[in-house]
């Protein structure tokens, strides 16, 4: 199955009727491996890989472990989301996107704030790749609230900034976005049923928010139209990560089940 088909088959709006909510939840959970070493990541993968198939490698792990951690995940049959949020001049980002695609990742991120030329260069770079990964434009970080935005000169509300950046991405031909759960409904309406919406800032009831500001529960984010949920610390820093993942998957499945009623 090609990647867009694979992603779309697990998106809320084109969900295969045959997929039961438990299996659907497992397809939609992306565990963020925000840990300081390959061995710590492999320890988590050992505990979680029977529960989900997507793992996200971000800055902390990639800077320490390098591309070999991507190979470890791919060799174990997992789908890899490389979340390095590229934001540089168009030529540099195009090269980085090609290098990431060569590593066999299935999703990757660029910052929408890089602007139309940078986004187009990233999209064009992937257009020449066979079986390309899904390119996701990050809109506004989930750790940003009004005060953080205004400190960097952005006086609009987060939702207005997300909408503006999503339109820039759509104009550049990008069909995948990262936003907070609070804007996912807006983005689903704007980008349509085929868009791949990947949502961090997920906090089950009773878990600490940490540095995140714009958060929601797993069921709420799915109900608003999320394709995938990214969950890090509520799983990776739990006393028992496997048990925490199971609880989140149950919450996701319950949310999915209520959407089909
Ligand atoms: O630990 P937590 O669940 O907050 O982790 C969220 C993950 O999603 C982190 O790896 C973070 O880098 C990523 N992310 C985010 N907000 C974005 C894009 C990515 O929190 N806008």
């Amino acid at each position: 199955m090609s990647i867009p088909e694979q992603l779309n088959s697990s998106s809320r709006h084109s969900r295969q009727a045959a997929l039961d909510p438990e299996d659907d939840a497992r397809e939609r959970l992306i565990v963020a491996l925000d840990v300081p070493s390959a061995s710590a990541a492999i320890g988590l993968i050992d505990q979680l890989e029977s529960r989900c198939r997507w793992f996200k490698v971000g800055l902390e792990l990639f800077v320490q472990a390098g591309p070999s951690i991507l190979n470890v995940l791919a060799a174990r049959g997992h789908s890899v989301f490389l979340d390095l949020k590229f934001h540089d001049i168009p030529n540099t980002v195009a090269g980085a996107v090609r290098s990431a695609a060569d590593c066999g990742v299935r999703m990757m991120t660029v910052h929408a704030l890089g602007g139309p030329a940078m986004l187009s260069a990233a999209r064009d770079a992937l257009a020449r790749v066979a079986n390309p990964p899904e390119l996701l434009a990050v809109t506004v970080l989930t750790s940003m609230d009004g005060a953080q935005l205004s400190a960097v000169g952005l006086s609009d509300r987060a939702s207005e900034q997300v909408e503006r950046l999503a339109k820039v991405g759509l104009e550049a031909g990008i069909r995948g976005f990262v936003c907070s759960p609070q804007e996912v409904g807006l983005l689903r309406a704007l980008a349509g049923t085929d868009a791949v919406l990947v949502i961090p800032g997920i906090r089950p009831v009773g878990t600490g928010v940490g540095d995140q500001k714009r958060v929601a529960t797993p069921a709420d984010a799915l109900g608003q139209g999320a394709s995938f949920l990214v969950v890090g610390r509520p799983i990776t820093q739990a006393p028992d990560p496997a048990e925490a993942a199971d609880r989140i998957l149950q919450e996701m499945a319950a949310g999915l089940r209520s959407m089909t009623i």
Side-chain angles (χ1 to χ4, degrees):
M1 200 191 303
S2 74
I3 282 304
E5 277 170 5
Q6 188 185 54
L7 294 172
N8 284 338
S9 71
S10 63
S11 88
R12 172 195 185 197
H13 299 273
S14 53
R15 194 150 63 86
Q16 290 165 338
L19 211 54
D20 73 46
E22 280 74 23
D23 289 339
D24 198 9
R26 273 194 285 278
E27 289 290 307
R28 291 162 177 268
L29 176 64
I30 304 175
V31 176
L33 296 170
D34 293 327
V35 289
S37 66
S39 59
I42 290 165
L44 279 168
I45 297 162
D46 285 342
Q47 295 175 70
L48 298 170
E49 65 186 346
S50 62
R51 293 168 166 83
C52 59
R53 75 181 177 93
W54 282 94
F55 290 95
K56 182 172 92 70
V57 175
L59 290 166
E60 181 180 8
L61 180 58
F62 191 79
V63 168
Q64 214 286 331
S68 63
I69 190 66
L70 308 177
N71 300 334
V72 169
L73 281 159
R76 290 168 80 143
H78 302 307
S79 297
V80 183
F81 172 14
L82 182 63
D83 182 26
L84 301 181
K85 302 185 184 68
F86 298 139
H87 186 177
D88 208 315
I89 62 170
N91 184 62
T92 300
V93 166
V97 160
R98 276 192 295 275
S99 295
D102 277 350
C103 293
V105 304
R106 304 316 306 142
M107 289 198 248
M108 71 171 80
T109 44
V110 294
H111 255 296
L113 212 49
M118 191 206 83
L119 294 173
S120 298
R123 183 214 52 207
D124 290 349
L126 284 183
R128 289 183 273 279
V129 171
N131 191 21
E134 188 72 31
L135 182 64
L136 305 172
V138 176
T139 55
V140 176
L141 294 172
T142 40
S143 57
M144 303 282 278
D145 57 10
Q148 294 287 312
L149 286 170
S150 82
V152 294
L154 297 169
S155 53
D156 287 340
R157 284 183 311 207
S159 58
E160 292 168 324
Q161 182 67 2
V162 167
E163 186 172 354
R164 175 181 298 114
L165 291 172
K167 284 178 178 164
V168 172
L170 288 166
E171 277 282 304
I174 290 179
R175 304 295 307 153
F177 296 93
V178 181
C179 66
S180 96
Q182 296 180 6
E183 298 93 35
V184 63
L186 166 93
L187 213 50
R188 178 61 71 195
L190 184 73
T193 54
D194 292 338
V196 176
L197 304 184
V198 177
I199 312 301
I202 301 300
R203 291 294 181 269
V205 176
T207 29
V209 294
D211 56 352
Q212 299 283 22
K213 297 275 174 18
R214 301 184 344 273
V215 300
T217 63
D220 281 350
L222 290 169
Q224 293 293 316
S227 312
F228 293 90
L229 305 185
V230 175
V231 184
R233 287 163 289 182
I235 292 176
T236 59
Q237 292 190 6
D240 182 345
E243 192 262 344
D246 284 343
R247 264 188 291 112
I248 288 171
L249 286 165
Q250 279 164 19
E251 258 190 79
M252 291 172 68
L256 292 165
R257 199 172 294 111
S258 71
M259 284 156 53
T260 58
I261 294 168

